[in-house]
Amino acid sequence: MLVRDAMSTVILTVGPAHTLRQAAALMSARRVGAAVVLDPDAGGIGILTERDILNSVGLGQNPDTETTHGHTTTDVVFAAPTWTLEEAAHAMTHGGFRHLVVLDRGEPAGIVSVRDIIRCWVPAREPAAAL
């Protein structure tokens, strides 16, 4: 199975000036664990994850004044839609992260998460039998 089969094609994007609270609210509303940060001044495409926000709050930083710019990962490992899920899982394990931005022709085409991969590898649970 390929990354294109598992990835979410609905991508939450935020800008570098969004506050962490704004980003967190958008991520929560969409029920996603990561947002793509589009910042042409800082190299283009980055990623902000729930862990980035949690680390900031844990350090006592104010999510109403901290912006995504200061918490975005910019040395992103990108996946291709044609990668196998094994390749994606290996990249995540090796890099110590749970989300990959999927690029197609240089543009974000989706995000694949560990959860997406597990969903593909583990069959859906059968409903519990009535007692």
Side-chain angles (χ1 to χ4, degrees), residues 26-94:
L26 291 168
M27 291 165 65
S28 179
R30 297 239 185 129
R31 300 187 57 162
V32 297
V36 172
V37 181
L38 301 178
D39 187 356
D41 295 334
I45 301 170
I47 190 168
L48 178 77
T49 67
E50 56 199 358
R51 184 176 295 162
D52 297 323
I53 296 169
L54 182 66
N55 287 340
S56 174
V57 171
L59 289 171
Q61 297 173 337
N62 184 343
D64 291 315
T65 58
E66 290 293 315
T67 62
T68 62
H69 174 77
H71 299 278
T72 298
T73 300
T74 55
D75 59 339
V76 179
V77 175
F78 297 105
T82 56
W83 279 16
T84 65
L85 293 185
E86 289 81 5
E87 288 173 304
H90 176 75
M92 290 177 186
T93 302
H94 182 71

Short mmCIF file of all heavy atoms in Angstrom, two decimals, residues 26-94:
data_model
loop_
_atom_site.label_atom_id
_atom_site.label_comp_id
_atom_site.label_asym_id
_atom_site.label_seq_id
_atom_site.Cartn_x
_atom_site.Cartn_y
_atom_site.Cartn_z
N LEU A 26 -7.62 25.68 15.60
CA LEU A 26 -7.88 25.14 14.26
C LEU A 26 -7.61 23.63 14.20
O LEU A 26 -8.37 22.87 13.62
CB LEU A 26 -7.03 25.87 13.22
CG LEU A 26 -7.40 27.33 12.96
CD1 LEU A 26 -6.31 28.02 12.15
CD2 LEU A 26 -8.75 27.41 12.25
N MET A 27 -6.50 23.22 14.82
CA MET A 27 -6.16 21.80 14.84
C MET A 27 -7.22 21.00 15.60
O MET A 27 -7.63 19.92 15.17
CB MET A 27 -4.76 21.60 15.44
CG MET A 27 -3.65 22.13 14.54
SD MET A 27 -2.06 22.32 15.37
CE MET A 27 -1.64 20.63 15.76
N SER A 28 -7.67 21.54 16.71
CA SER A 28 -8.70 20.87 17.51
C SER A 28 -10.01 20.77 16.74
O SER A 28 -10.64 19.71 16.72
CB SER A 28 -8.90 21.64 18.81
OG SER A 28 -9.91 21.04 19.58
N ALA A 29 -10.40 21.85 16.10
CA ALA A 29 -11.66 21.86 15.34
C ALA A 29 -11.63 20.86 14.20
O ALA A 29 -12.64 20.23 13.88
CB ALA A 29 -11.95 23.27 14.81
N ARG A 30 -10.47 20.70 13.58
CA ARG A 30 -10.35 19.77 12.46
C ARG A 30 -9.95 18.36 12.90
O ARG A 30 -9.85 17.47 12.07
CB ARG A 30 -9.32 20.29 11.46
CG ARG A 30 -9.72 21.60 10.85
CD ARG A 30 -9.82 21.51 9.36
NE ARG A 30 -10.08 22.82 8.79
CZ ARG A 30 -9.38 23.36 7.82
NH1 ARG A 30 -8.39 22.69 7.28
NH2 ARG A 30 -9.69 24.55 7.37
N ARG A 31 -9.65 18.24 14.19
CA ARG A 31 -9.24 16.95 14.76
C ARG A 31 -8.00 16.39 14.07
O ARG A 31 -7.96 15.23 13.67
CB ARG A 31 -10.40 15.95 14.71
CG ARG A 31 -11.60 16.45 15.50
CD ARG A 31 -12.65 15.43 15.58
NE ARG A 31 -12.02 14.25 16.20
CZ ARG A 31 -12.66 13.27 16.75
NH1 ARG A 31 -13.96 13.29 16.79
NH2 ARG A 31 -12.03 12.26 17.27
N VAL A 32 -6.99 17.27 13.93
CA VAL A 32 -5.72 16.87 13.35
C VAL A 32 -4.59 17.18 14.32
O VAL A 32 -4.72 18.05 15.18
CB VAL A 32 -5.45 17.57 11.99
CG1 VAL A 32 -6.51 17.17 10.97
CG2 VAL A 32 -5.39 19.08 12.13
N GLY A 33 -3.50 16.46 14.18
CA GLY A 33 -2.37 16.64 15.09
C GLY A 33 -1.24 17.47 14.52
O GLY A 33 -0.21 17.63 15.17
N ALA A 34 -1.44 18.01 13.31
CA ALA A 34 -0.38 18.80 12.70
C ALA A 34 -0.97 19.77 11.68
O ALA A 34 -2.03 19.51 11.10
CB ALA A 34 0.64 17.90 12.01
N ALA A 35 -0.26 20.88 11.50
CA ALA A 35 -0.64 21.86 10.49
C ALA A 35 0.59 22.18 9.64
O ALA A 35 1.71 22.22 10.16
CB ALA A 35 -1.16 23.14 11.14
N VAL A 36 0.36 22.39 8.38
CA VAL A 36 1.44 22.83 7.49
C VAL A 36 1.55 24.35 7.63
O VAL A 36 0.54 25.06 7.57
CB VAL A 36 1.15 22.44 6.03
CG1 VAL A 36 2.15 23.06 5.08
CG2 VAL A 36 1.16 20.92 5.88
N VAL A 37 2.77 24.82 7.87
CA VAL A 37 3.01 26.25 8.00
C VAL A 37 3.65 26.72 6.70
O VAL A 37 4.73 26.25 6.32
CB VAL A 37 3.93 26.57 9.20
CG1 VAL A 37 4.14 28.06 9.33
CG2 VAL A 37 3.34 25.99 10.48
N LEU A 38 2.96 27.63 6.02
CA LEU A 38 3.48 28.19 4.78
C LEU A 38 4.14 29.52 5.09
O LEU A 38 3.47 30.48 5.48
CB LEU A 38 2.35 28.37 3.77
CG LEU A 38 1.61 27.09 3.38
CD1 LEU A 38 0.48 27.40 2.41
CD2 LEU A 38 2.56 26.07 2.78
N ASP A 39 5.46 29.56 4.96
CA ASP A 39 6.23 30.76 5.30
C ASP A 39 7.32 30.96 4.27
O ASP A 39 8.43 30.43 4.40
CB ASP A 39 6.83 30.60 6.70
CG ASP A 39 7.51 31.86 7.19
OD1 ASP A 39 7.60 32.85 6.43
OD2 ASP A 39 7.96 31.86 8.35
N PRO A 40 7.03 31.72 3.21
CA PRO A 40 8.03 31.92 2.16
C PRO A 40 9.32 32.57 2.66
O PRO A 40 10.38 32.35 2.09
CB PRO A 40 7.33 32.81 1.13
CG PRO A 40 6.03 33.21 1.72
CD PRO A 40 5.80 32.44 2.97
N ASP A 41 9.24 33.36 3.74
CA ASP A 41 10.43 34.02 4.26
C ASP A 41 11.35 33.08 5.02
O ASP A 41 12.53 33.37 5.20
CB ASP A 41 10.04 35.17 5.19
CG ASP A 41 9.31 36.28 4.45
OD1 ASP A 41 9.54 36.42 3.22
OD2 ASP A 41 8.51 36.99 5.08
N ALA A 42 10.83 31.93 5.47
CA ALA A 42 11.65 30.99 6.26
C ALA A 42 11.89 29.69 5.51
O ALA A 42 12.10 28.65 6.12
CB ALA A 42 10.97 30.72 7.59
N GLY A 43 11.83 29.73 4.21
CA GLY A 43 12.16 28.53 3.46
C GLY A 43 10.98 27.79 2.88
O GLY A 43 11.14 26.72 2.32
N GLY A 44 9.77 28.31 3.05
CA GLY A 44 8.63 27.70 2.40
C GLY A 44 7.72 26.91 3.31
O GLY A 44 6.89 27.46 3.99
N ILE A 45 7.91 25.60 3.34
CA ILE A 45 6.96 24.71 4.00
C ILE A 45 7.55 24.16 5.29
O ILE A 45 8.64 23.59 5.29
CB ILE A 45 6.58 23.54 3.08
CG1 ILE A 45 5.96 24.08 1.78
CG2 ILE A 45 5.63 22.58 3.78
CD1 ILE A 45 5.78 23.03 0.71
N GLY A 46 6.82 24.33 6.38
CA GLY A 46 7.20 23.76 7.66
C GLY A 46 6.01 23.01 8.23
O GLY A 46 4.95 22.93 7.63
N ILE A 47 6.20 22.47 9.43
CA ILE A 47 5.12 21.74 10.09
C ILE A 47 5.08 22.13 11.56
O ILE A 47 6.12 22.33 12.20
CB ILE A 47 5.27 20.21 9.91
CG1 ILE A 47 4.01 19.48 10.40
CG2 ILE A 47 6.52 19.69 10.58
CD1 ILE A 47 3.95 18.00 9.99
N LEU A 48 3.87 22.29 12.07
CA LEU A 48 3.64 22.56 13.49
C LEU A 48 2.80 21.42 14.01
O LEU A 48 1.74 21.11 13.45
CB LEU A 48 2.89 23.88 13.66
CG LEU A 48 2.54 24.25 15.10
CD1 LEU A 48 3.78 24.79 15.82
CD2 LEU A 48 1.43 25.28 15.14
N THR A 49 3.25 20.78 15.06
CA THR A 49 2.52 19.64 15.60
C THR A 49 1.98 19.96 16.99
O THR A 49 2.39 20.93 17.63
CB THR A 49 3.42 18.39 15.70
OG1 THR A 49 4.43 18.62 16.69
CG2 THR A 49 4.06 18.05 14.36
N GLU A 50 1.07 19.11 17.43
CA GLU A 50 0.53 19.27 18.78
C GLU A 50 1.64 19.22 19.82
O GLU A 50 1.58 19.91 20.83
CB GLU A 50 -0.54 18.21 19.04
CG GLU A 50 -0.05 16.79 18.84
CD GLU A 50 -1.18 15.77 18.66
OE1 GLU A 50 -2.36 16.15 18.72
OE2 GLU A 50 -0.84 14.60 18.44
N ARG A 51 2.67 18.45 19.55
CA ARG A 51 3.80 18.36 20.48
C ARG A 51 4.53 19.70 20.57
O ARG A 51 4.97 20.11 21.65
CB ARG A 51 4.76 17.26 20.05
CG ARG A 51 5.90 17.07 21.03
CD ARG A 51 6.79 15.93 20.64
NE ARG A 51 6.05 14.69 20.72
CZ ARG A 51 6.41 13.55 20.13
NH1 ARG A 51 7.51 13.50 19.42
NH2 ARG A 51 5.68 12.47 20.26
N ASP A 52 4.66 20.41 19.45
CA ASP A 52 5.31 21.73 19.46
C ASP A 52 4.54 22.69 20.36
O ASP A 52 5.14 23.46 21.12
CB ASP A 52 5.39 22.30 18.04
CG ASP A 52 6.24 21.46 17.10
OD1 ASP A 52 7.27 20.91 17.55
OD2 ASP A 52 5.88 21.36 15.91
N ILE A 53 3.23 22.66 20.25
CA ILE A 53 2.39 23.54 21.07
C ILE A 53 2.50 23.14 22.54
O ILE A 53 2.65 23.98 23.42
CB ILE A 53 0.93 23.51 20.58
CG1 ILE A 53 0.86 24.09 19.15
CG2 ILE A 53 0.01 24.27 21.53
CD1 ILE A 53 -0.46 23.87 18.45
N LEU A 54 2.44 21.85 22.82
CA LEU A 54 2.55 21.35 24.18
C LEU A 54 3.89 21.73 24.80
O LEU A 54 3.95 22.17 25.97
CB LEU A 54 2.37 19.83 24.20
CG LEU A 54 2.40 19.14 25.55
CD1 LEU A 54 1.20 19.57 26.38
CD2 LEU A 54 2.40 17.63 25.36
N ASN A 55 4.98 21.61 24.04
CA ASN A 55 6.29 21.99 24.56
C ASN A 55 6.34 23.46 24.92
O ASN A 55 6.91 23.84 25.95
CB ASN A 55 7.39 21.66 23.55
CG ASN A 55 7.66 20.17 23.45
OD1 ASN A 55 7.33 19.40 24.34
ND2 ASN A 55 8.26 19.77 22.35
N SER A 56 5.75 24.31 24.10
CA SER A 56 5.74 25.75 24.37
C SER A 56 4.97 26.05 25.66
O SER A 56 5.45 26.79 26.53
CB SER A 56 5.11 26.50 23.19
OG SER A 56 4.96 27.86 23.50
N VAL A 57 3.79 25.47 25.78
CA VAL A 57 2.98 25.69 26.99
C VAL A 57 3.70 25.14 28.21
O VAL A 57 3.71 25.77 29.28
CB VAL A 57 1.57 25.08 26.81
CG1 VAL A 57 0.79 25.10 28.12
CG2 VAL A 57 0.80 25.81 25.72
N GLY A 58 4.32 23.98 28.06
CA GLY A 58 5.07 23.38 29.16
C GLY A 58 6.23 24.24 29.63
O GLY A 58 6.62 24.18 30.80
N LEU A 59 6.76 25.06 28.74
CA LEU A 59 7.84 25.98 29.11
C LEU A 59 7.31 27.28 29.72
O LEU A 59 8.09 28.16 30.07
CB LEU A 59 8.69 26.31 27.87
CG LEU A 59 9.57 25.18 27.34
CD1 LEU A 59 10.18 25.57 26.00
CD2 LEU A 59 10.65 24.83 28.35
N GLY A 60 5.99 27.38 29.84
CA GLY A 60 5.39 28.57 30.42
C GLY A 60 5.19 29.71 29.44
O GLY A 60 4.90 30.84 29.84
N GLN A 61 5.35 29.44 28.15
CA GLN A 61 5.16 30.49 27.15
C GLN A 61 3.68 30.74 26.94
O GLN A 61 2.85 29.84 27.11
CB GLN A 61 5.84 30.09 25.84
CG GLN A 61 7.34 29.96 26.00
CD GLN A 61 8.02 29.40 24.76
OE1 GLN A 61 7.42 28.73 23.94
NE2 GLN A 61 9.32 29.67 24.64
N ASN A 62 3.34 31.95 26.54
CA ASN A 62 1.96 32.35 26.38
C ASN A 62 1.47 32.00 24.97
O ASN A 62 1.97 32.57 23.99
CB ASN A 62 1.83 33.86 26.62
CG ASN A 62 0.40 34.35 26.56
OD1 ASN A 62 -0.49 33.69 26.05
ND2 ASN A 62 0.18 35.54 27.11
N PRO A 63 0.51 31.11 24.84
CA PRO A 63 0.03 30.72 23.51
C PRO A 63 -0.70 31.84 22.78
O PRO A 63 -0.94 31.73 21.58
CB PRO A 63 -0.90 29.53 23.79
CG PRO A 63 -1.30 29.68 25.21
CD PRO A 63 -0.17 30.37 25.91
N ASP A 64 -1.05 32.91 23.50
CA ASP A 64 -1.70 34.05 22.85
C ASP A 64 -0.71 35.02 22.22
O ASP A 64 -1.09 35.86 21.41
CB ASP A 64 -2.59 34.81 23.85
CG ASP A 64 -3.79 33.98 24.26
OD1 ASP A 64 -4.42 33.38 23.37
OD2 ASP A 64 -4.08 33.93 25.47
N THR A 65 0.56 34.90 22.59
CA THR A 65 1.57 35.80 22.02
C THR A 65 2.63 35.06 21.21
O THR A 65 3.26 35.64 20.34
CB THR A 65 2.26 36.63 23.11
OG1 THR A 65 2.86 35.76 24.07
CG2 THR A 65 1.26 37.56 23.80
N GLU A 66 2.84 33.79 21.52
CA GLU A 66 3.80 33.00 20.75
C GLU A 66 3.20 32.70 19.38
O GLU A 66 2.02 32.32 19.27
CB GLU A 66 4.11 31.67 21.45
CG GLU A 66 4.90 31.80 22.71
CD GLU A 66 6.32 32.29 22.46
OE1 GLU A 66 6.98 31.79 21.52
OE2 GLU A 66 6.77 33.17 23.21
N THR A 67 4.01 32.87 18.34
CA THR A 67 3.52 32.60 16.99
C THR A 67 4.06 31.27 16.47
O THR A 67 5.06 30.75 16.98
CB THR A 67 3.92 33.72 16.02
OG1 THR A 67 5.35 33.78 15.95
CG2 THR A 67 3.34 35.06 16.46
N THR A 68 3.40 30.78 15.44
CA THR A 68 3.83 29.51 14.85
C THR A 68 5.25 29.62 14.31
O THR A 68 5.99 28.65 14.31
CB THR A 68 2.88 29.05 13.73
OG1 THR A 68 2.88 30.02 12.70
CG2 THR A 68 1.48 28.84 14.26
N HIS A 69 5.63 30.81 13.88
CA HIS A 69 6.96 31.02 13.30
C HIS A 69 8.07 30.49 14.21
O HIS A 69 9.01 29.84 13.75
CB HIS A 69 7.19 32.50 12.98
CG HIS A 69 8.57 32.80 12.52
ND1 HIS A 69 9.00 32.51 11.24
CD2 HIS A 69 9.63 33.34 13.17
CE1 HIS A 69 10.26 32.87 11.12
NE2 HIS A 69 10.67 33.38 12.28
N GLY A 70 7.96 30.76 15.49
CA GLY A 70 9.00 30.37 16.43
C GLY A 70 8.95 28.91 16.85
O GLY A 70 9.84 28.45 17.56
N HIS A 71 7.97 28.17 16.41
CA HIS A 71 7.80 26.79 16.87
C HIS A 71 7.64 25.79 15.72
O HIS A 71 7.37 24.62 15.96
CB HIS A 71 6.59 26.72 17.81
CG HIS A 71 6.77 27.58 19.01
ND1 HIS A 71 7.49 27.19 20.12
CD2 HIS A 71 6.38 28.86 19.24
CE1 HIS A 71 7.51 28.18 20.99
NE2 HIS A 71 6.85 29.20 20.49
N THR A 72 7.83 26.29 14.52
CA THR A 72 7.67 25.45 13.34
C THR A 72 8.94 24.66 13.06
O THR A 72 10.05 25.21 13.13
CB THR A 72 7.36 26.33 12.10
OG1 THR A 72 6.12 27.01 12.35
CG2 THR A 72 7.24 25.52 10.84
N THR A 73 8.78 23.40 12.72
CA THR A 73 9.90 22.59 12.25
C THR A 73 10.08 22.91 10.77
O THR A 73 9.14 22.74 9.98
CB THR A 73 9.61 21.09 12.44
OG1 THR A 73 9.41 20.84 13.83
CG2 THR A 73 10.75 20.24 11.91
N THR A 74 11.26 23.39 10.43
CA THR A 74 11.51 23.76 9.03
C THR A 74 12.39 22.76 8.30
O THR A 74 12.43 22.77 7.07
CB THR A 74 12.15 25.16 8.95
OG1 THR A 74 13.34 25.18 9.74
CG2 THR A 74 11.18 26.24 9.43
N ASP A 75 13.09 21.90 9.03
CA ASP A 75 13.89 20.87 8.37
C ASP A 75 13.02 19.61 8.23
O ASP A 75 13.30 18.57 8.80
CB ASP A 75 15.19 20.59 9.11
CG ASP A 75 14.99 20.14 10.54
OD1 ASP A 75 13.91 20.40 11.11
OD2 ASP A 75 15.91 19.51 11.11
N VAL A 76 11.96 19.76 7.47
CA VAL A 76 10.92 18.75 7.33
C VAL A 76 11.39 17.62 6.42
O VAL A 76 12.03 17.87 5.40
CB VAL A 76 9.63 19.39 6.76
CG1 VAL A 76 8.54 18.36 6.59
CG2 VAL A 76 9.18 20.53 7.65
N VAL A 77 11.06 16.40 6.81
CA VAL A 77 11.21 15.26 5.93
C VAL A 77 9.90 15.11 5.17
O VAL A 77 8.84 15.01 5.79
CB VAL A 77 11.52 13.97 6.73
CG1 VAL A 77 11.55 12.75 5.81
CG2 VAL A 77 12.84 14.13 7.49
N PHE A 78 9.98 15.17 3.87
CA PHE A 78 8.78 15.07 3.04
C PHE A 78 8.67 13.66 2.46
O PHE A 78 9.66 13.03 2.14
CB PHE A 78 8.84 16.08 1.88
CG PHE A 78 8.87 17.50 2.33
CD1 PHE A 78 10.04 18.24 2.29
CD2 PHE A 78 7.71 18.11 2.80
CE1 PHE A 78 10.06 19.56 2.70
CE2 PHE A 78 7.72 19.43 3.21
CZ PHE A 78 8.90 20.16 3.17
N ALA A 79 7.42 13.21 2.33
CA ALA A 79 7.15 11.92 1.69
C ALA A 79 6.60 12.19 0.29
O ALA A 79 6.05 13.25 0.02
CB ALA A 79 6.12 11.13 2.50
N ALA A 80 6.75 11.21 -0.55
CA ALA A 80 6.13 11.25 -1.87
C ALA A 80 4.89 10.37 -1.84
O ALA A 80 4.85 9.37 -1.09
CB ALA A 80 7.10 10.74 -2.93
N PRO A 81 3.87 10.68 -2.62
CA PRO A 81 2.67 9.85 -2.63
C PRO A 81 2.95 8.41 -3.05
O PRO A 81 2.20 7.50 -2.70
CB PRO A 81 1.75 10.53 -3.66
CG PRO A 81 2.35 11.84 -3.97
CD PRO A 81 3.77 11.83 -3.52
N THR A 82 4.07 8.21 -3.74
CA THR A 82 4.40 6.87 -4.24
C THR A 82 5.26 6.06 -3.27
O THR A 82 5.59 4.91 -3.56
CB THR A 82 5.14 6.98 -5.59
OG1 THR A 82 6.28 7.83 -5.41
CG2 THR A 82 4.22 7.55 -6.65
N TRP A 83 5.60 6.64 -2.12
CA TRP A 83 6.31 5.87 -1.11
C TRP A 83 5.41 4.75 -0.62
O TRP A 83 4.19 4.91 -0.54
CB TRP A 83 6.65 6.72 0.10
CG TRP A 83 7.85 7.58 0.00
CD1 TRP A 83 8.53 7.95 -1.12
CD2 TRP A 83 8.50 8.23 1.09
NE1 TRP A 83 9.56 8.78 -0.79
CE2 TRP A 83 9.57 8.97 0.56
CE3 TRP A 83 8.27 8.26 2.46
CZ2 TRP A 83 10.42 9.72 1.36
CZ3 TRP A 83 9.11 9.02 3.25
CH2 TRP A 83 10.18 9.74 2.71
N THR A 84 6.01 3.66 -0.21
CA THR A 84 5.23 2.62 0.47
C THR A 84 4.99 3.06 1.90
O THR A 84 5.71 3.93 2.43
CB THR A 84 5.97 1.27 0.48
OG1 THR A 84 7.16 1.41 1.27
CG2 THR A 84 6.30 0.80 -0.94
N LEU A 85 4.00 2.45 2.53
CA LEU A 85 3.77 2.77 3.95
C LEU A 85 4.96 2.35 4.79
O LEU A 85 5.26 2.98 5.81
CB LEU A 85 2.48 2.12 4.43
CG LEU A 85 1.19 2.66 3.80
CD1 LEU A 85 -0.02 2.01 4.45
CD2 LEU A 85 1.11 4.17 3.88
N GLU A 86 5.66 1.31 4.37
CA GLU A 86 6.85 0.87 5.08
C GLU A 86 7.93 1.96 5.03
O GLU A 86 8.60 2.23 6.03
CB GLU A 86 7.39 -0.43 4.50
CG GLU A 86 6.54 -1.65 4.80
CD GLU A 86 5.32 -1.80 3.88
OE1 GLU A 86 5.15 -1.01 2.91
OE2 GLU A 86 4.52 -2.71 4.13
N GLU A 87 8.09 2.59 3.86
CA GLU A 87 9.07 3.68 3.75
C GLU A 87 8.69 4.85 4.65
O GLU A 87 9.55 5.44 5.32
CB GLU A 87 9.17 4.16 2.29
CG GLU A 87 9.85 3.18 1.37
CD GLU A 87 9.77 3.60 -0.09
OE1 GLU A 87 8.64 3.82 -0.59
OE2 GLU A 87 10.85 3.73 -0.72
N ALA A 88 7.41 5.19 4.68
CA ALA A 88 6.94 6.28 5.53
C ALA A 88 7.16 5.94 7.00
O ALA A 88 7.64 6.77 7.77
CB ALA A 88 5.48 6.58 5.26
N ALA A 89 6.81 4.72 7.40
CA ALA A 89 6.99 4.30 8.79
C ALA A 89 8.46 4.32 9.17
O ALA A 89 8.82 4.74 10.28
CB ALA A 89 6.39 2.91 9.00
N HIS A 90 9.32 3.90 8.27
CA HIS A 90 10.77 3.91 8.53
C HIS A 90 11.25 5.36 8.73
O HIS A 90 12.01 5.64 9.67
CB HIS A 90 11.53 3.24 7.39
CG HIS A 90 13.01 3.31 7.57
ND1 HIS A 90 13.69 2.52 8.47
CD2 HIS A 90 13.94 4.11 6.98
CE1 HIS A 90 14.98 2.83 8.43
NE2 HIS A 90 15.16 3.79 7.53
N ALA A 91 10.81 6.27 7.86
CA ALA A 91 11.22 7.67 7.99
C ALA A 91 10.76 8.25 9.32
O ALA A 91 11.51 8.97 9.99
CB ALA A 91 10.66 8.50 6.83
N MET A 92 9.53 7.92 9.73
CA MET A 92 9.01 8.43 11.00
C MET A 92 9.79 7.85 12.18
O MET A 92 10.15 8.58 13.11
CB MET A 92 7.53 8.08 11.14
CG MET A 92 6.63 8.84 10.21
SD MET A 92 4.93 8.26 10.45
CE MET A 92 4.10 9.13 9.15
N THR A 93 10.03 6.57 12.15
CA THR A 93 10.76 5.91 13.23
C THR A 93 12.18 6.45 13.32
O THR A 93 12.67 6.78 14.40
CB THR A 93 10.78 4.39 13.02
OG1 THR A 93 9.44 3.92 12.96
CG2 THR A 93 11.51 3.68 14.14
N HIS A 94 12.83 6.55 12.18
CA HIS A 94 14.21 7.04 12.14
C HIS A 94 14.31 8.51 12.58
O HIS A 94 15.24 8.89 13.28
CB HIS A 94 14.77 6.88 10.72
CG HIS A 94 16.19 7.31 10.58
ND1 HIS A 94 17.23 6.61 11.11
CD2 HIS A 94 16.73 8.41 9.98
CE1 HIS A 94 18.37 7.24 10.85
NE2 HIS A 94 18.08 8.33 10.16
#
